[in-house]
Amino acid sequence: MPPKDPDRANGAVLVGRHTQIECLSAVVQDLTDGRGAFLEVTGEPGIGKTTLLGLLAERAAGAGALVARVHAARGTTQPGQVITEVLDALEARDSPIARELGAGADAEVRSVLGRWAARRGGVLVLDNVHLCDEQSARLIAQLVRTPPPGPFVLALAHRPRQSSPVLREALEHGVETGSVIRLAPSSLDLPAISALLGHGGSHTDTTSPHAFSHSARDHAYTEWRASPAPVVDGTYAEQLHAASCGNPRMLRILVAARWDPDEWPLSPGPDRDGMLREAVSVVAELDSVTADAALSIQVAAVLGDPFLPDDVAAVSDLGLERTLAAFTELVEADLIRPLPWGGGYVFRHPVLGHVALEHASPSRRVNAHRRALDLLTTRGASALRRARQAEHLVGAGSAQARQVLVEGAAEAMAKSPAVAARWLRLALDHLPAGDVISAPRVVLVLDCCRALSAVGRLQEARSLVHDVLRHQSDLSEDLRLSAYAVCGELERLLGRHQEAEAVVRTALDLVPRPLPVPLSAPVVELITAYGRVQLFRGAYGEARDVVREAAEAAGAVGPAVPYLRALGALGDTQLGLLPEAVAEVTECARIVDALPDAAAVTMPDVLAMLGCAELFQERFHDAYRHLERGLQATTGATRRFIRINQLVALCHLDQLTGRLESLCRRAGEAELLARMSGADEAAGIAMILRATGLLWTRPRRDTDRLLELAGEGLSLALRKRGWRAAVAVGLRAHAQFLGGDPAGCLRTLVEEGGPQLQRLLRAWQPSLLALASVAALRCGDIAAARDWARTGEAVADQLGLPLQQQYVRRARAALHAAEGEHRLAAGLFHEAAESFRRAGLPVEHAWTLVTGAPSVHAAHGTRQALEWLDTAGKAARACDAQRIREEAARVRTLLPASCAATGAASATAQDASARATAALLTERERQIAELAAEGKRTKEIAEELFVSTRTVETHLGRIYRKLDIPSRAALPRALGQVVHRPAV
């Protein structure tokens, strides 16, 4: 019979508990060897103490030992009841101590336990010991201090906050003396949560075109018997980890409620019945308190964390004295906890509040919500807090509650559009019958459409706005413009580019030109929508004039300025109008960077457009900064479409900067979100980006499958002939070239990009023309390669983007190499490689070195060619570019063997390695590496360079990764230095 998996209990996998399980296995092994132990399992409620005790009992029984289990219960009044239940479990009912636990009972209990365990080893499991009576607690404490001899294991679980001081003292003394083994399972970390949700990367075939197409995986990685929660995107596990605080029980309850991160903490999820079914143990805790305490905790749940005794007393009508007594009871039961300041209280965990609220009777809930709303209104509380009460009171005659919901939705829109959508829909559904196109109703409809759009409920929003537009002739001019703007934006998000353009252009004809100053909010919204529609159609030139005019009319300040500036910056970049675009990006960045985080995260679309423009302008550091700042305000449900754009742009950056693992992860998330949203173009681009990242990192045997994945991505992207489709063409062609299909690369570029690739993204045209040149060269067509290179040089000169010029320079170098002009080729390869290195593009740097090594060999000899290949190999290892390492090895084998094996080459190998290493490091990294190689400590290096010790450690970590070494001890050899330490 094979041994049991030590990380399994009753068929379920215990994630994140490997250390504790190893300890339990050791205890069972000692027991079989005749040795006993005392085991304490301690921790927060729901952390998994009972699960670990159950595993111990299962393992011990499997090893042939006797096992007895007793659970203490709240409300025990009989002295010594737990010990009595122990004796019953041991079938020692005839013992005199079973009838009366008087003086000397501890010795008798110890004797009984010793005799019971002596037969073949015994394990006594005591759960919830914090609930036992005082006499039982004292007897258990005595057992801790003087355990029975022989093969006896006593394992108890308790909550230290609620346990008897006598027992806590005995356990603490036992831990200090080593007689007690303490297991304190901590909160689950993020990888454990991901595994529980079936979202662990190690279980995903990232080369499969469907690897990220499933929202949940049927893996048994859970400690419970429930299906995993739907994984919306790569941040879901992280958000759920934060919401549950890593507590397994709270995690199970949230999963059962179908937790939605965009409605938390206002709501645990839409499945309240599922939540209550999973929260049986929590409900039992709530039912165990007195009536006053039960009412107080339900009112506290209505008010929400944090809550004050005075407020609970006012809403419950218990009076302050009875409320304080109830709070004392609730604190002792560890259901609520006092805050260290302000006299407030919070639930032990926010989930308890939601369970308490749903467990209350409907009449009690409605009553409490009504009184709470009156109280909060009297105190002038925020609309957000009042709306939490109003949503439970809205009805046909409740105008006050409807108005509160509208005001609360306005406050919630920026950070919680899902909540805003729910409140607005409630307000709409409970408007009195009457004029369906009254101004207040239309305003509510449009706001609801904006909120629904932010959470991806596009068809629902489209239906609402089309109902409004059926009566457009009866609307005021401002409402009509707003309705058209909302409708156009929805059509765009649905991928209906022609319909979107028709809608917004129709409305734009209603706006006078020149534009009125100041611009009204509806006009700004319409022009912004028009600009975005044309941008994504790849026809921003048609909107450029009106967007620029609107930006000037908006002035220097105002909420519309960042939107119009960012749109203009990205649009001009798309058109290749770089001087104007650079100035616009600089000004927009100045405005956005001056905003506090609270304001900046309310406009992730601005940060996304700005970051994309910076990406195309080769301002990579700024692009990362703005895209990742905006990413904080988006999730898989909130502003999903903006997040897709952010992730795709970050994938491009990751590819350029050599963060290939991050590229594959982000591309997978972007693909999943885009498929869920029907955004075919974005899904296609994400698939090609993921395929490209894997082409760099996977061995050549995976090439065919990855090229097939890239082909599927292009087919998907070309379903909608917009801007993204043009980007996808270039990405697919690059993947084909990388995969060894230069003819297919050329065919894709010309068929989809036009004879001069004029239909492709203007800012990247030089690099794509350079790609066409090298592909033509690989196909043996030198004349075509010259033409492509010449065109690329002309476009690069017009744009003036430094890195685009380097791509063309590399293509020109390849041409020279093909024509036998190796010295000229080597010089150009060197210039391009150095430019890529300085710009922080390690993949392009390494690829250029490998490509240029044969020319360097022909022009300057084997030694320098080997240096180039060594440098390329180290750069490739630093970013896990397996394909470059394979190519470098192939090129190395082509060098003349006689030269590669000469004594001169061997004699200079160390110098070559040192020069190759130096090329990988920045100036600061090189300084720190050399000082560390000389034997200087971190603090000494920090003092010499006037930086912090943390900065030194951070740089050293990067240095180790780049040089592929484990520690500073390997630095001297890696740097090719002979370190002379002074004699002591």
Side-chain angles (χ1 to χ4, degrees):
M1 181 176 179
K4 288 190 175 183
D5 183 345
D7 289 357
R8 288 183 178 271
N10 298 319
V13 175
L14 302 179
V15 175
R17 298 289 181 250
H18 186 67
T19 301
Q20 289 81 16
I21 293 169
E22 283 186 337
C23 180
L24 297 182
S25 299
V27 168
V28 173
Q29 182 60 52
D30 286 347
L31 184 66
T32 60
D33 293 339
R35 294 188 297 274
F38 197 107
L39 190 68
E40 174 199 15
V41 186
T42 177
E44 287 282 300
I47 205 67
K49 301 184 294 296
T50 299
T51 302
L52 290 172
L53 289 183
L55 179 60
L56 174 64
E58 179 185 337
R59 294 288 187 265
L66 297 171
V67 176
R69 300 186 68 171
V70 173
H71 294 257
R74 185 180 300 278
T76 299
T77 56
Q78 179 182 341
Q81 181 168 332
V82 170
I83 299 300
T84 301
E85 291 179 5
V86 167
L87 297 172
D88 286 341
L90 301 183
E91 299 182 354
R93 299 180 183 86
D94 296 332
S95 171
I97 57 171
R99 295 185 293 274
E100 184 177 355
L101 295 172
D106 57 319
E108 289 292 339
V109 170
R110 188 164 55 254
S111 176
V112 169
L113 290 172
R115 290 195 302 273
W116 170 73
R119 284 178 279 173
R120 61 174 190 264
V123 177
L124 175 60
V125 175
L126 301 180
D127 204 355
N128 293 332
V129 173
H130 54 281
L131 299 179
C132 72
D133 59 276
E134 280 300 318
Q135 188 167 2
S136 294
R138 284 196 297 272
L139 286 168
I140 295 170
Q142 287 296 328
L143 287 175
V144 172
R145 296 183 184 278
T146 313
F152 172 76
V153 172
L154 176 57
L156 66 82
H158 71 125
R159 304 178 189 177
R161 284 174 177 266
Q162 298 169 259
S163 291
S164 162
V166 172
L167 180 59
R168 288 205 309 269
E169 181 184 356
L171 290 169
E172 200 63 45
H173 180 266
V175 171
E176 290 176 1
T177 60
S179 61
V180 172
I181 302 170
R182 173 174 289 168
L183 294 186
S186 60
S187 299
L188 298 176
D189 58 14
L190 182 56
I193 297 287
S194 297
L196 288 171
L197 295 174
H199 193 58
S202 61
H203 307 287
T204 301
D205 177 12
T206 52
T207 65
S208 167
H210 306 296
F212 292 86
S213 62
H214 304 291
S215 62
R217 295 167 177 85
D218 189 21
H219 293 310
Y221 297 140
T222 58
E223 290 183 78
W224 61 91
R225 304 287 186 170
S227 299
V231 180
V232 179
D233 59 36
T235 64
Y236 187 87
E238 183 177 350
Q239 293 167 319
L240 186 51
H241 174 257
S244 65
C245 303
N247 185 293
R249 179 181 296 162
M250 300 304 136
L251 180 68
R252 292 197 299 270
I253 294 172
L254 290 174
V255 168
R258 291 192 288 122
W259 181 76
D260 182 349
D262 300 301
E263 298 212 20
W264 178 260
L266 298 182
S267 167
D271 192 349
R272 305 302 176 89
D273 291 337
M275 177 185 72
L276 288 178
R277 282 194 300 270
E278 189 61 49
V280 172
S281 60
V282 175
V283 171
E285 286 188 82
L286 296 172
D287 287 342
S288 68
V289 299
T290 62
D292 280 2
L295 175 58
S296 296
I297 202 167
Q298 289 166 1
V299 169
V302 166
L303 292 169
D305 283 339
F307 46 87
L308 295 168
D310 292 39
D311 293 348
V312 172
V315 174
S316 67
D317 209 19
L318 284 176
L320 186 57
E321 185 175 346
R322 289 172 66 187
T323 300
L324 290 174
F327 271 44
T328 300
E329 179 184 349
L330 292 170
V331 169
E332 289 176 353
D334 199 24
L335 290 168
I336 66 173
R337 294 174 180 176
L339 291 171
W341 60 86
Y345 291 77
V346 293
F347 287 97
R348 181 181 79 220
H349 190 285
V351 166
L352 266 69
H354 292 292
V355 173
L357 186 61
E358 289 304 313
H359 186 53
S361 67
S363 60
R364 179 172 285 185
R365 284 204 304 267
V366 171
N367 226 13
H369 282 301
R370 183 175 290 111
R371 293 176 69 103
L373 179 58
D374 292 342
L375 177 67
L376 294 172
T377 302
T378 301
R379 293 187 176 175
S382 68
L384 197 64
R385 291 190 64 197
R386 289 183 286 121
R388 285 190 60 182
Q389 312 303 328
E391 75 169 304
H392 301 279
L393 303 172
V394 65
S398 180
Q400 178 197 7
R402 288 198 308 276
Q403 184 58 36
V404 171
L405 286 178
V406 172
E407 294 169 4
E411 285 188 18
M413 181 71 81
K415 292 185 178 180
S416 304
V419 174
R422 187 176 79 240
W423 287 346
L424 289 168
R425 196 76 206 224
L426 270 173
L428 276 172
D429 291 344
H430 289 89
L431 280 175
D435 188 1
V436 296
I437 56 168
S438 64
R441 186 184 191 94
V442 172
V443 169
L444 273 184
V445 168
L446 295 180
D447 283 343
C448 188
C449 288
R450 295 181 185 104
L452 291 170
S453 172
V455 295
R457 293 158 62 180
L458 301 183
Q459 291 292 356
E460 184 180 350
R462 182 177 182 271
S463 177
L464 284 174
V465 76
H466 273 269
D467 284 344
V468 168
L469 285 174
R470 285 192 311 165
H471 307 281
Q472 59 179 288
S473 59
D474 298 323
L475 302 178
S476 67
E477 182 177 333
D478 279 354
L479 285 178
R480 192 184 316 169
L481 293 178
S482 291
Y484 272 120
V486 169
C487 184
E489 183 69 4
L490 287 167
E491 298 288 6
R492 178 186 73 80
L493 291 173
L494 286 165
R496 300 158 56 93
H497 296 308
Q498 291 182 334
E499 292 85 346
E501 190 209 9
V503 167
V504 291
R505 192 182 286 278
T506 297
L508 202 60
D509 291 340
L510 304 175
V511 178
R513 301 288 296 274
L515 295 174
V517 179
L519 286 178
S520 66
V523 171
V524 170
E525 184 179 21
L526 177 65
I527 292 174
T528 304
Y530 179 60
R532 280 200 292 257
V533 167
Q534 300 294 29
L535 181 78
F536 280 89
R537 285 185 63 233
Y540 179 75
E542 298 180 27
R544 183 173 187 265
D545 289 344
V546 70
V547 171
R548 288 176 66 86
E549 185 182 351
E552 293 172 3
V557 295
V561 174
Y563 288 87
L564 293 168
R565 290 281 188 187
L567 179 59
L570 182 54
D572 283 354
T573 303
Q574 186 191 84
L575 294 173
L577 304 174
L578 268 300
E580 297 93 331
V582 168
E584 201 67 62
V585 162
T586 301
E587 177 60 19
C588 184
R590 183 191 65 78
I591 294 171
V592 170
D593 289 343
L595 295 173
D597 284 343
V601 296
T602 64
M603 47 181 71
D605 45 352
V606 171
L607 291 164
M609 290 188 289
L610 175 59
C612 287
E614 289 166 332
L615 162 65
F616 298 137
Q617 293 180 20
E618 300 177 355
R619 298 161 70 158
F620 301 140
H621 175 75
D622 291 332
Y624 263 124
R625 185 163 55 86
H626 290 128
L627 287 167
E628 290 181 334
R629 191 182 188 193
L631 202 65
Q632 298 172 11
T634 63
T635 67
T638 296
R639 299 183 177 89
R640 176 184 298 176
F641 296 94
I642 299 171
R643 186 174 184 85
I644 293 170
N645 294 336
Q646 292 166 328
L647 288 168
V648 168
L650 285 166
C651 285
H652 285 297
L653 284 167
D654 287 340
Q655 180 176 338
L656 289 166
T657 57
R659 305 178 191 185
L660 301 178
E661 182 181 352
S662 174
L663 158 63
C664 294
R665 176 178 53 80
R666 291 201 233 240
E669 181 184 344
E671 180 190 341
L672 171 61
L673 288 177
R675 284 182 180 276
M676 291 170 61
S677 309
D680 291 340
E681 289 173 301
I685 289 180
M687 290 172 69
I688 305 171
L689 282 164
R690 182 158 60 89
T692 304
L694 293 170
L695 279 168
W696 283 120
T697 58
R698 293 295 177 88
R700 290 184 183 275
R701 63 175 177 270
D702 294 333
T703 296
D704 290 344
R705 183 164 49 162
L706 294 173
L707 288 179
E708 182 182 348
L709 175 62
E712 291 178 15
L714 182 62
S715 299
L716 200 59
L718 291 179
R719 290 182 185 177
K720 305 282 173 40
R721 289 284 179 170
W723 168 40
R724 286 178 174 144
V727 174
V729 169
L731 291 172
R732 166 73 190 295
H734 182 258
Q736 287 174 297
F737 180 82
L738 190 58
D741 183 15
C745 167
L746 265 178
R747 188 167 52 252
T748 297
L749 288 171
V750 175
E751 289 180 358
E752 303 296 342
Q756 300 296 314
L757 311 190
Q758 67 275 10
R759 293 198 294 268
L760 303 185
L761 185 66
R762 179 69 174 173
W764 286 350
Q765 272 184 16
S767 60
L768 296 173
L769 288 161
L771 177 63
S773 174
V774 179
L777 203 58
R778 291 279 179 92
C779 293
D781 192 344
I782 295 182
R786 277 199 206 94
D787 291 341
W788 288 116
R790 192 178 302 115
T791 305
E793 288 166 343
V795 177
D797 288 342
Q798 292 171 10
L799 292 176
L801 292 171
L803 292 177
Q804 289 295 308
Q805 291 173 336
Q806 298 308 319
Y807 285 108
V808 177
R809 178 169 285 128
R810 185 171 66 187
R812 177 61 67 181
L815 267 171
H816 287 312
E819 294 167 341
E821 299 175 344
H822 291 294
R823 187 169 293 276
L824 187 55
L828 293 177
F829 277 126
H830 175 72
E831 290 178 29
E834 280 300 293
S835 296
F836 288 134
R837 182 187 67 80
R838 287 193 297 268
L841 276 60
V843 173
E844 297 297 346
H845 170 227
W847 187 254
T848 306
L849 291 175
V850 172
T851 306
S855 289
V856 171
H857 170 261
H860 304 293
T862 303
R863 187 181 70 183
Q864 192 165 340
L866 290 174
E867 288 181 18
W868 278 40
L869 293 174
D870 287 342
T871 302
K874 290 184 178 181
R877 277 195 298 274
C879 53
D880 195 28
Q882 173 71 15
R883 187 164 296 257
I884 294 178
R885 296 168 66 182
E886 291 180 355
E887 183 66 13
R890 187 189 69 81
V891 171
R892 191 183 297 269
T893 63
L894 297 178
L895 300 180
S898 58
C899 295
T902 59
S906 298
T908 59
Q910 187 175 3
D911 293 337
S913 178
R915 282 192 290 273
T917 293
L920 289 175
L921 305 179
T922 65
E923 182 62 21
R924 176 64 80 185
E925 288 170 349
R926 185 186 59 77
Q927 290 175 331
I928 291 174
E930 289 176 352
L931 291 171
E934 292 171 5
K936 292 193 175 181
R937 299 177 182 274
T938 298
K939 185 177 181 182
E940 295 171 332
I941 297 172
E943 291 172 350
E944 183 168 335
L945 298 180
F946 299 99
V947 296
S948 69
T949 55
R950 177 171 292 183
T951 298
V952 173
E953 292 293 346
T954 300
H955 279 298
L956 284 171
R958 291 176 184 155
I959 291 165
Y960 301 155
R961 288 193 296 275
K962 287 184 177 182
L963 303 186
D964 195 26
I965 59 176
S967 66
R968 70 170 67 198
L971 273 172
R973 185 179 184 85
L975 295 175
Q977 296 177 348
V978 178
V979 180
H980 300 284
R981 289 186 172 84
V984 179

